[in-house]
């Protein structure tokens, strides 16, 4: 009788559309408040497509001034770092992190993010022409779209006025010239087997912020084989000698003493963004799901925004991690829709997918998801949540495990 009653009840629920036909919760969802407006959800649901449970962990964040999203990476723009290493760097600087996930895809050989990177209003790396970005305002509100950032390099004496210059990206034969500063690393990661032409510029003013301009003077022109040191207060324009000959011919006109300007125009919608990372595929088109031809099932990290501004930062386990097979991009699109998002985008997934939280009463982060590899991959950047409230030493809440 009990089994029959349960069956009838489920049929009624499904008929009323209260639970999507493709999804059925396998166990009660566990929800933990990590800070004002920030909740961590630990859940599993049954997918008829995967023929099994999908383990998921996601943050739901209501924008507020007490807790704000925060872009975090290691010591430099290049060179991937683990979540805990990046967390500890921020802690040493007095920043209190409540949790987060991995962020943008990256060049795994040197750990450089594929897309844009903005931290505390400073543009750390230029955007990718094929992908959009996730940006955060100072009040915690989010935006997904095209920043419209174009890095301009000008040397009037040499007759050079370039737009869309690669800024703090990896050198390659097909990538043309790259402009570096010491945010990138202590060197430009040039290949030891390749020769490069390098214009070394002493900065004289300005900053790498939205719609601002850096000025400088050419200090030295140097041809090197292998890595070139990047010094504080300097920029370096580098190109491989095997790369575009027309660009090298233009760079050959640059002389010591030339006045240089580097500007960072960006779209009006993004001019007040304080934090940003690149994203991959769009998952929702104005609230509508998207069907993808790629049917690969994998661990996923994604981000979505509801119409009311609520942020969903999502991860699911995959590749049989903990029995979870993961989601295809089409299934991920549907899941973000089911969670109430109007816009959403895919982030780096696979072995990069990771979710950490600092539970109430703890001081260090705990990994919440189950990673799919034999080790936890270091990533180029992370999307974390920062607690802006000062410590009072007074108990505000009691958390019972």
């Amino acid at each position: 009788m009990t089994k029959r009653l349960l069956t009838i009840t489920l049929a009624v629920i499904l008929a009323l559309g209260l639970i999507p036909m493709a999804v059925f919760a396998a166990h009660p969802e566990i929800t933990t408040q990590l800070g004002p407006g920030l909740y961590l959800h630990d859940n599993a649901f049954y997918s008829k497509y995967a023929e099994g449970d999908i383990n998921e962990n996601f943050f739901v964040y209501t924008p507020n001034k007490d807790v704000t999203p925060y872009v975090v990476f290691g010591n430099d723009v290049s060179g991937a770092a683990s979540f805990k290493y990046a967390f500890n760097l921020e802690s040493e600087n007095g920043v209190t992190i409540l949790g987060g996930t991995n962020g943008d895809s990256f060049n795994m050989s040197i750990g450089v993010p594929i897309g844009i990177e903005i931290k505390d209003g400073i543009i750390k790396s230029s955007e990718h022409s094929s992908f959009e970005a996730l940006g955060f305002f100072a009040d915690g509100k989010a935006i997904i779209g095209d920043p419209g950032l174009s890095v301009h390099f000008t040397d009037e004496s040499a007759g050079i006025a370039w737009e869309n210059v690669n800024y703090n990206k990896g050198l390659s034969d097909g990538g043309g010239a790259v402009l570096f500063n010491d945010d990138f690393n202590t060197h430009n990661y040039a290949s030891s087997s390749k020769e490069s032409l390098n214009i070394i510029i002493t900065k004289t003013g300005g900053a790498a912020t939205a719609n601002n301009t850096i000025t400088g003077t050419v200090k030295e022109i140097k041809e090197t084989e292998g890595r070139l040191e990047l010094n504080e207060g300097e920029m370096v324009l580098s190109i491989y000698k095997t790369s575009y000959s027309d660009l090298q011919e233009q760079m050959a006109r640059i002389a010591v003493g030339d006045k240089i300007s580097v500007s960072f125009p960006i779209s009006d919608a993004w001019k007040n963004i304080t934090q940003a990372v690149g994203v991959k595929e769009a998952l929702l088109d104005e609230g509508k799901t998207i069907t993808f031809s790629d049917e690969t099932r994998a661990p996923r990290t994604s981000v979505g925004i509801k119409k009311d501004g609520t942020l969903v930062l999502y991860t699911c386990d995959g590749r049989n991690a903990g029995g979870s097979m993961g989601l295809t991009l089409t299934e991920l699109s549907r899941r973000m829709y089911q969670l109430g998002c109007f816009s959403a985008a895919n982030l780096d997934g696979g072995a990069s997918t990771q979710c950490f939280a600092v539970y109430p009463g703890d001081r260090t982060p705990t990994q919440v998801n189950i990673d799919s590899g034999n080790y936890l991959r270091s990533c180029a950047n992370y999307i974390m949540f920062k607690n802006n409230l000062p410590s009072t030493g007074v108990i505000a809440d009691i958390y019972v495990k």
Side-chain angles (χ1 to χ4, degrees), residues 262-312:
V262 179
S263 58
F264 299 85
I266 200 167
S267 68
D268 285 344
W270 284 73
K271 64 183 180 181
N272 294 318
I273 289 294
T274 59
Q275 317 285 329
V277 296
V279 299
K280 298 171 69 178
E281 301 89 347
L283 295 173
L284 294 174
D285 181 10
E286 294 186 344
K288 298 179 181 178
T289 59
I290 298 174
T291 300
F292 296 85
S293 59
D294 183 357
E295 297 182 352
T296 303
R297 194 175 297 284
R300 301 290 182 183
T301 305
S302 60
V303 62
I305 305 171
K306 300 182 182 183
K307 274 193 171 182
D308 65 359
T310 300
L311 182 82
V312 177

Side-chain angles (χ1 to χ4, degrees), residues 6 29 55 65 151 161 208 219 321 323 336 386:
L6 176 61
E29 182 175 305
N55 298 328
K65 61 182 177 60
V151 181
K219 170 187 174 183
M336 298 305 287
K386 179 177 65 168

Side-chain angles (χ1 to χ4, degrees), residues 119-298:
K119 182 179 175 68
D120 295 330
I122 304 298
I123 298 168
K124 300 291 185 176
S125 190
S126 55
E127 68 175 272
H128 191 285
S129 59
S130 300
F131 297 111
E132 295 187 330
L134 166 68
F136 298 105
F137 297 93
D139 61 4
K141 293 178 181 177
I143 183 174
I144 297 174
D146 180 7
L149 174 66
S150 176
V151 181
H152 294 188
F153 179 92
T154 304
D155 180 347
E156 292 184 358
S157 298
I160 293 175
W162 292 343
E163 298 181 1
N164 297 315
V165 175
N166 290 316
Y167 181 63
N168 282 338
K169 297 296 186 185
L171 276 170
S172 66
D173 286 333
V178 180
L179 184 65
F180 298 97
N181 71 358
D182 63 312
D183 284 337
F184 182 78
N185 206 302
T186 57
H187 55 80
N188 66 353
Y189 261 118
S191 171
S192 60
S193 62
K194 287 185 172 293
E195 294 183 351
S196 61
L197 173 62
N198 304 279
I199 311 297
I200 303 172
I201 303 159
T202 300
K203 290 191 287 187
T204 57
T209 56
N211 297 323
N212 205 341
T213 299
I214 294 176
T215 58
T217 303
V218 176
K219 170 187 174 183
E220 185 180 0
I221 300 171
K222 181 185 292 187
E223 293 187 9
T224 62
E225 185 172 339
R227 297 176 174 180
L228 178 72
E229 184 176 353
L230 301 175
N231 297 313
E232 185 177 359
E234 294 181 348
M235 296 182 295
V236 176
L237 182 68
S238 300
I239 190 171
Y240 280 144
K241 298 297 290 293
T242 51
S243 189
Y244 299 97
S245 58
D246 58 330
L247 292 180
Q248 293 185 59
E249 290 172 1
Q250 293 180 63
M251 288 174 64
R253 301 200 298 265
I254 299 175
V256 172
D258 281 3
K259 303 300 181 184
I260 303 295
S261 68
V262 179
S263 58
F264 299 85
I266 200 167
S267 68
D268 285 344
W270 284 73
K271 64 183 180 181
N272 294 318
I273 289 294
T274 59
Q275 317 285 329
V277 296
V279 299
K280 298 171 69 178
E281 301 89 347
L283 295 173
L284 294 174
D285 181 10
E286 294 186 344
K288 298 179 181 178
T289 59
I290 298 174
T291 300
F292 296 85
S293 59
D294 183 357
E295 297 182 352
T296 303
R297 194 175 297 284

